[in-house]
């Protein structure tokens, strides 16, 4: 079955630097790969979606890459701010049927 | 746009009682809603997929008689935890998909504590 790996260790980044989070999967590539942000005690918030045939997607300070050869997606936040501190989840939509397979998330801490 | 609300945001109940959680899409119609539970520092676990006007599809290991789901309209789905026990204590989150879209819009979650 499909497994998703995200760094379980918290990622500490200095304010202003670029934060890079990793999402690796084990089996065949999904139709879509999505990134969400989750704050403590809150539901996730959708950030970006990238399709299987796309290499890169950008939205303001966010950038997502998708490498189906490496079976990996990278999520970048440039010019990071303390307000970017949260847990970031990646999720795979294997068959375009809306059901998502979720990673456990990586906690990002941006230090001022 | 694409706002999803949940009610209540938290609930404490006695063991053996039933608790109903509502999930509403406020500014769009959601033909499909999902119910998740999440334990501390763990990933979201899909419990069931709820389609308007039809029976919910439950994930393996989720008791359909214990977690009753009703998707009576295009903007409302409810999850009822029946005969709740302390092990049912968790964070329950719903999400909805806009027709034609792929991203899920999540509610703020409901913290259930069963004493």
């Amino acid at each position: 079955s499909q497994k998703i790996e995200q760094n379980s260790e918290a990622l500490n980044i200095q304010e202003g630097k670029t934060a890079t989070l990793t999402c690796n999967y084990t089996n065949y590539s999904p139709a879509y790969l999505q990134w969400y942000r989750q704050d403590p005690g809150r539901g996730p918030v959708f950030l970006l979606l990238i399709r299987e045939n796309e290499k890169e997607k950008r939205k303001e300070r966010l950038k997502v890459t998708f490498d189906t050869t490496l079976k990996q997606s990278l999520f970048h936040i440039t010019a990071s701010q303390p307000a970017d501190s949260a847990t970031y989840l990646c999720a795979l939509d294997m068959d375009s049927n809306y059901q998502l397979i979720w990673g456990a998330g990586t906690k990002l801490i941006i230090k001022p | 746009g694409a706002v999803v609300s949940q009610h209540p945001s938290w609930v404490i109940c006695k063991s053996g009682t039933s608790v109903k959680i509502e999930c509403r899409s406020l500014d769009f119609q959601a033909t499909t809603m999902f119910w998740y539970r999440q334990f501390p520092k763990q990933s979201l676990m899909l419990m069931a997929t709820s389609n308007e006007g039809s029976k919910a599809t439950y994930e393996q290991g989720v008791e359909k008689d214990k977690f009753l789901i009703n998707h009576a309209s295009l903007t409302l789905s409810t999850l009822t935890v029946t005969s709740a026990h302390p092990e049912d204590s968790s964070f329950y989150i719903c999400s909805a998909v806009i027709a034609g879209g792929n991203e899920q819009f999540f509610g703020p979650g409901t913290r259930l504590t069963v004493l």
Side-chain angles (χ1 to χ4, degrees):
Chain A
S1 60
Q2 182 73 272
K3 291 185 179 179
I4 302 174
E5 296 176 355
Q6 292 187 258
N7 288 346
S8 58
E9 298 289 327
L11 182 63
N12 289 276
I13 299 293
Q14 192 67 38
E15 181 179 8
K17 301 292 185 182
T18 296
T20 299
L21 288 72
T22 305
C23 175
N24 295 300
Y25 57 94
T26 55
N27 291 352
Y28 61 94
S29 293
Y32 303 94
L33 190 148
Q34 304 184 23
W35 283 89
Y36 290 77
R37 167 184 174 143
Q38 186 175 24
D39 291 285
R42 306 290 293 176
V45 174
F46 170 78
L47 296 175
L48 279 170
L49 176 154
I50 189 165
R51 292 176 171 77
E52 184 179 12
N53 60 354
E54 296 177 320
K55 298 292 185 184
E56 181 179 298
K57 190 72 86 59
R58 291 175 183 261
K59 178 183 177 182
E60 298 175 350
R61 293 185 296 113
L62 309 179
K63 184 178 82 171
V64 171
T65 63
F66 193 7
D67 189 326
T68 55
T69 301
L70 295 178
K71 297 186 179 180
Q72 180 181 79
S73 175
L74 299 179
F75 177 80
H76 306 272
I77 305 176
T78 59
S80 59
Q81 305 166 2
D84 295 327
S85 299
T87 295
Y88 290 84
L89 307 168
C90 76
L92 275 56
D93 181 348
M94 303 306 299
D95 304 311
S96 303
N97 65 355
Y98 302 140
Q99 287 195 352
L100 299 176
I101 303 172
W102 293 86
T106 297
K107 185 175 182 179
L108 176 65
I109 301 169
I110 306 298
K111 296 184 176 181
Chain B
V3 178
V4 176
S5 70
Q6 272 185 250
H7 179 79
S9 56
W10 60 270
V11 57
I12 301 173
C13 69
K14 293 182 179 180
S15 185
T17 60
S18 294
V19 175
K20 179 186 283 189
I21 303 170
E22 291 186 350
C23 177
R24 293 181 185 273
S25 56
L26 299 184
D27 52 2
F28 66 98
Q29 294 185 331
T31 54
T32 302
M33 289 184 170
F34 299 93
W35 286 97
Y36 296 87
R37 63 188 298 181
Q38 187 177 34
F39 294 103
K41 297 185 179 181
Q42 292 190 22
S43 182
L44 296 168
M45 293 175 52
L46 180 64
M47 298 176 66
T49 302
S50 170
N51 292 297
E52 186 266 338
S54 63
K55 291 184 178 180
T57 302
Y58 290 82
E59 294 301 300
Q60 191 173 8
V62 178
E63 300 175 56
K64 62 179 181 180
D65 294 330
K66 180 170 183 61
F67 298 100
L68 301 178
I69 292 173
N70 187 333
H71 195 155
S73 76
L74 288 173
T75 59
L76 173 64
S77 177
T78 61
L79 167 68
T80 301
V81 183
T82 62
S83 187
H85 289 96
E87 57 265 31
D88 298 324
S89 299
S90 188
F91 191 52
Y92 292 87
I93 316 173
C94 72
S95 71
V97 180
I98 296 176
N102 295 99
E103 61 267 37
Q104 294 188 17
F105 298 95
F106 284 83
T110 297
R111 174 73 59 190
L112 171 63
T113 302
V114 184
L115 301 177

